[in-house]
Amino acid sequence: MNDQPLFGRVVLVSGPESLLAERAVERLVRQALAERPAASVTKVEAGDLDAGGLAEVTGGSLFAEESVVVVQQLSDLDPGLFDAVLAFVSDPSEELALVLVHPGGVKGRGLLDKLKKARIEVVDCPTIKAWELPQFAAAEARLLGGRIDRATADRLVEALGADVRAVAGAVRQLLADADDRVISEAAVRRYFAGRADVTSFTVADHVMAGRRNEALGALRWALETGVAPVLVTSALANALRAQGRYTDFVGQRMRDVDLARDLGVPPFKVKEIVQRSRDWTPRGLASSLKLVAETDAAVKGQAADPSFALERMVMGVAGLRGRRPDSGMGR
């Protein structure tokens, strides 16, 4: 982040990863208050602003004194106010530190592009992909003065799924209880046993490997322990899509980390996908995805018994897996 004074400047925090955006805003506010401790701090929603409110925020009588203002959800700003925002950006008040927060996406994109062309400081907050989460967990541990090795980080992500906030919170919790500030795999298993041992991802893994009985047992236990049915359909759909994407990379020599990025999975999943590639035909994957989509609709309200629909899906998808005598797939 730029270490120039924040007062008299505008900073744009942009991107869909809300945790990173929140942290960026917190850092900017702290920096501004370190510069001018007596400044007031105000957070407003862009959608609540009209012309008068925007004028007050950017230098009207309400904010005559030094102030730090954070405008959230810039995508909701009235398009009629775009020019006013751009005018302020070109000549900001020396008594104001203004932070604009945009969640990314197409809404309000015109203003976003013009702000970036104005060469104001931009803090990017991109989505943290599934394959990046173990690395994110390790970075979180270092940030908190601790450590987690790659295998343990993989296990933690496997337990929690692609939930950035859950991973960040788990790292903080585990480090708080680790006397040596090192997160062990045993601690991950102890704290997240219910989730790590039987989750929607575990069900999907059993299905993709053709282990019907194990998949059914894992499914029943997962549902009993509170796993939402839609998480099961989502996990299996993601597994099938990743398996299908792998066919585009057959024969290419790639590092696991690069392949994981292109497949959209954590690196520890790559070996499983490669090993299973001989057991899935394009037709089998397509038929399975169709069945999963039908089941997803069912568990969202079109079926009287979601658990029965899920069991039928598990049996059906596992049955569509079949070994081919000469697939030519593998690395």
Side-chain angles (χ1 to χ4, degrees), residues 1-7 9-14 20-36 41 43 67-70 97-101 121-125:
M1 232 178 243
N2 196 320
D3 58 0
Q4 295 179 2
L6 280 174
F7 281 84
R9 287 201 301 128
V10 180
V11 178
L12 172 65
V13 176
S14 175
L20 298 184
E22 289 170 12
R23 290 180 174 182
V25 170
E26 290 172 2
R27 288 195 297 270
L28 289 165
V29 171
R30 285 198 303 268
Q31 180 184 338
L33 290 177
E35 293 174 17
R36 304 190 186 184
V41 178
K43 295 184 179 181
S67 55
V68 183
V69 175
V70 180
L98 180 61
V99 180
L100 305 174
V101 186
E121 181 183 351
V122 179
V123 180
D124 288 316
C125 303

Side-chain angles (χ1 to χ4, degrees), residues 114-326:
K114 289 178 180 178
L115 287 170
K116 290 181 178 180
K117 287 181 181 178
R119 298 185 180 278
I120 66 173
E121 181 183 351
V122 179
V123 180
D124 288 316
C125 303
T127 299
I128 298 174
K129 305 294 194 303
W131 65 271
E132 296 173 315
L133 278 172
Q135 183 179 352
F136 170 76
E140 283 290 291
R142 288 194 299 271
L143 185 66
L144 296 170
R147 183 167 59 85
I148 181 172
D149 63 35
R150 185 49 185 264
T152 304
D154 285 343
R155 180 63 178 172
L156 182 62
V157 172
E158 184 179 17
L160 298 175
D163 186 330
V164 176
R165 290 181 183 276
V167 171
V171 169
R172 183 178 295 276
Q173 175 186 349
L174 289 164
L175 283 178
D177 291 332
D179 293 334
D180 56 359
R181 304 296 290 174
V182 177
I183 298 174
S184 67
E185 187 167 346
V188 172
R189 290 180 180 277
R190 182 170 64 253
Y191 277 90
F192 302 103
R195 297 179 70 171
D197 292 340
V198 182
T199 66
S200 54
F201 299 99
T202 303
V203 177
D205 284 342
H206 284 314
V207 172
M208 295 301 293
R211 297 187 291 265
R212 299 189 192 187
N213 291 337
E214 291 89 341
L216 287 172
L219 171 64
R220 289 162 185 162
W221 179 248
L223 294 176
E224 287 179 9
T225 54
V227 174
V230 292
L231 294 181
V232 179
T233 56
S234 175
L236 186 51
N238 288 337
L240 289 164
R241 292 191 190 102
Q243 194 71 55
R245 284 194 294 269
Y246 174 67
T247 60
D248 295 333
F249 300 95
V250 173
Q252 298 183 29
R253 292 187 176 276
M254 299 176 65
R255 296 184 306 161
D256 281 357
V257 66
D258 294 328
L259 186 55
R261 181 188 62 244
D262 291 334
L263 296 179
V265 300
F268 71 90
K269 286 288 184 184
V270 169
K271 185 177 294 185
E272 297 174 6
I273 291 173
V274 174
Q275 291 173 342
R276 295 170 184 167
S277 62
R278 293 180 62 88
D279 300 318
W280 283 97
T281 65
R283 179 177 295 180
L285 290 168
S287 297
S288 294
L289 280 168
K290 180 180 179 182
L291 177 55
V292 172
E294 292 170 350
T295 306
D296 186 65
V299 300
K300 288 177 179 176
Q302 297 180 19
D305 186 352
S307 61
F308 174 75
L310 289 172
E311 289 187 6
R312 186 176 59 181
M313 176 192 71
V314 164
M315 295 294 289
V317 174
L320 288 166
R321 171 185 175 275
R323 181 172 295 279
R324 294 176 291 180
D326 183 17

